[in-house]
Amino acid sequence: MAHRETQRSHTTARISRIVMFIMHWILIMFTQPRPIFGGNIHITGLFPISRDIRDGNIGRGVLPALNLAVDILNDPKGREQKTILQGHRLVMSENDTQCKMAVGMQAFFESLGSGPPKFMIFGGACPSVTTPIAESVHFWNIVQLSYADTTPRPRQKKDGEAEKDLYPNFFSTVPSENDIGAARIKLFQRFNWTKAATIHQNTPRFSLAQTTQVNLAVERGINITVKADFAYDPLEAVQKINSSNARIIMGFFDEDMARKVFCHVYHQKLYGRTYVWLLPGWYSHRWWTRPDNSTTCTPQQLFIALKGYIGTDILPLSTRSEKTISGWTPAEYEALYNAERGTEYSVFHGYAYDGVWVMAKALDRVLRILKDQNDEESFWKFDYKNSKIANLLMQAMNETNFMGVTGPVQFRGGERLGCTMHKQLQDDVEVKVAEYYAVTDSLNLTENQFWWEGGEPPRDEIEVIEQFLTVSSVTFILTASIAFAGILMSIGFLIFNMKHRNQRYIKMSSPFLNNLIILGGILTYFSVFLLGMDRGTMGPTVSLANICKARAWCLCIGFTLAFGAMFSKTWRVHRIFTNVRMKRKVIKDHQLFAIVGFLLVVDLVILVTWEIVDSLQDDVKEIFKETSNRPEELDVLYIYKLAVCESRNTMIWLAIIYAYKGVLLIFGLFLAWETRHVSIPALNDSKYIGMSVYNITIMCCLGVSLSFVIQDNPAASHGLVSIFILFCATITLTLVFVPKVVELRINPHANERIRVVGGLDKGRPSPGNAASITSSAKVRIIAEENTDLRKKLVESDKKVKELEDELFKLVPEEAPLLLRLDSDSDVPTHSLSRENGGAKPIDLSPNSVHYHPSTTSIPSSQLETKIPNPDYSEETEGPPEEEMYENYGGVWLGPPGAADKPEEPDIFNFDYPCDLNQNGTMQQDSVAEVHRTYDDKAPLRTPDSSPIRCVMEIPQSPYEIPSFLLNYTN
């Protein structure tokens, strides 16, 4: 519809030009104005006078002012002297245009075609009449001056490569919309408004006014955020303004359309303390109260929507008190006008009055120039072919500069550099609050102040305050303090571990693997610091990409070091205690380091590939918006943003890492479950490692799940994730190292021989295959049977000893012979214990510890125990002699007679007096028994002939002892 309206206006303009061109040649050919010599100077006046038109009051209201000016010019009575048009009279004809183009054009042609030549056209008031005449008056070499048309007109138009002036002979004493736009710009500067929106009615007049205003605003650095237009129904345009969140809105539409616009404004709630509407100020008095069936709003609703609006209009009269060109002040002139006008009034009366003086000054200037050139006669012989007079008149018009009743009168490009005013609707009354003077480009405030509903000018837009969601300083300080304390604790454990690494209790838990656990804990503690570093702590302009990368690397590597070391130790325990065939298992520490190294390599491959292929980048994500509810911030919008680090496929990389770590956790859970019944103090951290694995798995699953749910809340996310990290790291380190610290504090001489009993829980066999359970039960039955037989054997030996003593008492001479005869018949004898000559030390090496076949029904092949060594493979023969001491943690396990080994190795010992039978078997409740390895017939004596003390040496390392042996040793 808007496009059709524009096309219609352009078509009308083209038709009017054609008509003007035809009429021009007709007048030239068939009419010749009569030359005049002195006396009257004729001017054609065009006025809307009819009472049956809405703008008829303009013409009727300006005629009294026009007559006052003409009378003063023609009759200088009461004036001190006459300096303008001396000896000449100004004659102006009155033609009613009815604000219709056809009627106006007819009046124009009739005026030119009859009577003496007309030097100028004064009028019209309506754009429909003024515009077509302004486009054609230059064909008749006459000048047009308007007193009431404020429509801005583009002065230049492209004509090929050159620019053509569309209205070369047109002037206006009333400021156009261009000057009103400049007054609005000054208002913007006054209140520091830099953004605005426009809404205009799609007609040539308002479209041009809007375009002019927008161009002027852009030149002055004001951003027009939205430009809405409409033809008939302004609803969509108002909705567009509403969606833009604009606060300063300039409207360009007529009075009737204004009521429709503000009815929608009322329903859209685009009014109140946060909005300012800038409208044309030439609407009729209390225009919102006029009946209008085209809207559904009442005058009261329109008033609510309009309250506080600012209208920009021409200033009817200057407020200055100085005298004007006519000799009267503006106030004196107004009194004369009011006396003459009766009931008629027009806001343009002052501009019509000054317009008469403009024409008089220009004509007087031309006459003086021609008089100086001795060519005054050419003025009185003027016809419509004479361009010389028209050029002189235009030159004189452009040089116009005097003080009129409407202020300084000057022209720039045919437009008046006049005065405009701003008036505001306050308490149901439009009050003038400021004046703008185009000549000086200044804004003067009046005694009436601007009124604002909120007490201060609204902002030009919703004040948008961007805030980054960051970790609160309290949360960061708290978590960072705990993490720092955790790092100090880790360093303390590291010092303790290295200081006591040669202690048996520490050495048996692989201290170097413990160092990896500590290092992993330190890295995870350090990641808490990195998690808290965001825009709040680092600044709003700092890139977080490197920090995000450091977070990923610290967490991944720390997790692998700490929990990989734990898992590898648990795996070694699992391998030892699931050795069904009782073969020697050799799992050295360097093998466990290799496992951890492999896990680290997997981490590095994932992280390096992520960095190369799809590196993390710093990004900002808008989380939510919130309007402030505080009274002083009703027009403040808070936009909360979050600084994040993302890559193109972040979720894929996270899924890979989580899957890999998940598999590792599942494997750790399996190992912890398999070794859950291991309670060997020598394995002083196996139980605690299992507890750590359970806790870590649960906390990691919860932490990863919840971190995705609350990732848009950095304070909660940081707090929750930090708690999980701190808990996992702390519980792991404390469970692994606190028992060691406590044990060494209670027993600082841990290398001394202590009786320690441990093993698997008898009542809860470790789950394994059926063969493992059956074998364990058989061994238990056999061991119990063996214990009972040994008790009976001890009692029998005591009776035999008593009988031998009685025999020596009865027949001391024959007793040795009888005993030797018994010996030859394989009868056990205890007399050997009474001999000490040439006895060798009992061999207590592992190779001499066997199940004795003479005291059990189990075949010797099933009971012979070869204790596994953790440093050698299952199928090896045994460690070299020189490595035996080191590999068993300081326990000497070698052939007898080696004098260079420690005398007091750290061992489990059962220290008691040996009560040996004839075959050298220990008479105690023990499955193991001692044999003479080298000379079974040698007396049981030590080299210094002291009583024999039998020491059963069992290596302390948990990886060297079969589980069933530890279960049933006592």
Side-chain angles (χ1 to χ4, degrees), residues 642-836:
L642 180 64
V644 296
C645 293
E646 293 182 340
S647 58
R648 293 187 303 272
N649 301 299
T650 305
M651 296 306 300
I652 295 177
W653 294 107
L654 290 178
I656 293 173
I657 292 177
Y658 290 153
Y660 163 55
K661 301 298 182 184
V663 170
L664 194 58
L665 284 175
I666 293 172
F667 180 64
L669 283 175
F670 167 75
L671 295 178
W673 179 261
E674 286 287 304
T675 59
R676 69 189 185 280
H677 298 310
V678 176
S679 58
I680 304 170
L683 300 177
N684 47 45
D685 54 6
S686 59
K687 177 175 65 176
Y688 302 119
I689 288 175
M691 295 172 60
S692 298
V693 171
Y694 290 136
N695 290 321
I696 290 162
T697 303
I698 294 173
M699 299 302 284
C700 286
C701 292
L702 288 176
V704 171
S705 302
L706 293 177
S707 64
F708 279 105
V709 176
I710 61 174
Q711 62 180 345
D712 292 340
N713 188 342
S717 178
H718 170 75
L720 184 65
V721 173
S722 297
I723 288 174
F724 287 147
I725 292 175
L726 294 172
F727 178 82
C728 292
T730 304
I731 200 68
T732 298
L733 293 174
T734 53
L735 286 176
V736 171
F737 291 99
V738 169
K740 296 178 175 58
V741 175
V742 173
E743 178 65 27
L744 289 186
R745 183 176 180 84
I746 295 174
N747 183 17
H749 304 291
N751 281 337
E752 295 182 359
R753 300 181 180 187
I754 55 175
R755 180 177 177 86
V756 183
V757 180
L760 291 172
D761 189 350
K762 296 179 181 180
R764 297 165 60 188
S766 177
N769 54 36
S772 175
I773 297 175
T774 304
S775 175
S776 178
K778 288 180 179 180
V779 170
R780 182 176 62 185
I781 295 171
I782 294 171
E784 291 176 353
E785 181 182 355
N786 187 23
T787 301
D788 294 337
L789 292 174
R790 285 179 180 279
K791 289 180 180 179
K792 294 178 180 180
L793 182 60
V794 170
E795 294 175 358
S796 299
D797 287 343
K798 288 181 180 180
K799 291 181 180 180
V800 171
K801 182 178 179 183
E802 292 174 357
L803 292 174
E804 287 180 352
D805 291 339
E806 291 180 3
L807 181 61
F808 272 101
K809 290 178 182 179
L810 294 175
V811 285
E813 295 83 2
E814 299 177 1
L817 178 60
L818 295 174
L819 292 175
R820 184 173 298 276
L821 293 174
D822 288 340
S823 176
D824 294 338
S825 60
D826 295 332
V827 177
T829 177
H830 288 265
S831 62
L832 297 174
S833 63
R834 295 175 177 85
E835 302 175 8
N836 57 3

Side-chain angles (χ1 to χ4, degrees), residues 369 625 924 930:
I369 292 174
K625 299 178 182 179
Q924 285 291 334
V930 180

Side-chain angles (χ1 to χ4, degrees), residues 852-872:
H852 197 277
S854 64
T855 59
T856 177
S857 61
I858 301 176
S860 174
S861 61
Q862 295 185 19
L863 291 177
E864 183 176 0
T865 303
K866 296 182 179 180
I867 301 172
N869 185 333
D871 292 340
Y872 295 89

Side-chain angles (χ1 to χ4, degrees), residues 193-309:
W193 294 333
T194 58
K195 294 182 179 180
T198 65
I199 176 173
H200 70 275
Q201 184 178 355
N202 205 340
T203 61
R205 176 183 181 182
F206 297 113
S207 295
L208 182 57
Q210 186 266 351
T211 301
T212 304
Q213 181 72 79
V214 169
N215 293 337
L216 186 59
V218 173
E219 290 176 2
R220 302 295 179 89
I222 297 172
N223 182 26
I224 305 299
T225 57
V226 177
K227 293 179 282 188
D229 63 272
F230 61 92
Y232 299 104
D233 187 1
L235 175 60
E236 291 185 3
V238 173
Q239 290 175 340
K240 185 177 181 180
I241 295 292
N242 190 16
S243 62
S244 70
N245 290 324
R247 291 299 183 261
I248 313 301
I249 309 166
M250 295 183 288
F252 304 89
F253 33 76
D254 60 34
E255 179 181 314
D256 294 333
M257 197 60 69
R259 285 186 285 271
K260 294 182 180 180
V261 169
F262 278 90
C263 186
H264 293 301
V265 167
Y266 175 80
H267 291 299
Q268 297 285 329
K269 298 187 182 302
L270 295 177
Y271 60 87
R273 60 174 294 180
T274 58
Y275 293 92
V276 176
W277 283 86
L278 303 178
L279 304 176
W282 42 262
Y283 298 159
S284 62
H285 181 62
R286 296 179 60 82
W287 55 271
W288 61 90
T289 61
R290 291 193 173 186
D292 192 343
N293 296 327
S294 63
T295 68
T296 59
C297 296
T298 64
Q300 182 61 27
Q301 291 173 332
L302 292 177
F303 173 74
I304 292 174
L306 282 167
K307 191 175 181 180
Y309 92 89

Side-chain angles (χ1 to χ4, degrees), residues 34 47-48 72 102 164 180 184 297 453 502 599 672 701 779 802 826 873:
R34 296 189 301 272
F47 309 96
I72 293 173
K164 181 180 179 181
I180 292 176
R184 289 197 185 105
C297 296
E453 185 175 340
N502 292 323
L599 298 177
C701 292
V779 170
E802 292 174 357
D826 295 332
S873 64

Side-chain angles (χ1 to χ4, degrees), residues 21 24 27 38 108 150 226 308 346 427 544 578 589 656 707 734 758 783 815:
F21 183 78
H24 166 69
L27 288 173
F108 170 69
T150 61
V226 177
S346 173
D427 297 329
L544 301 179
T578 56
D589 282 353
I656 293 173
S707 64
T734 53

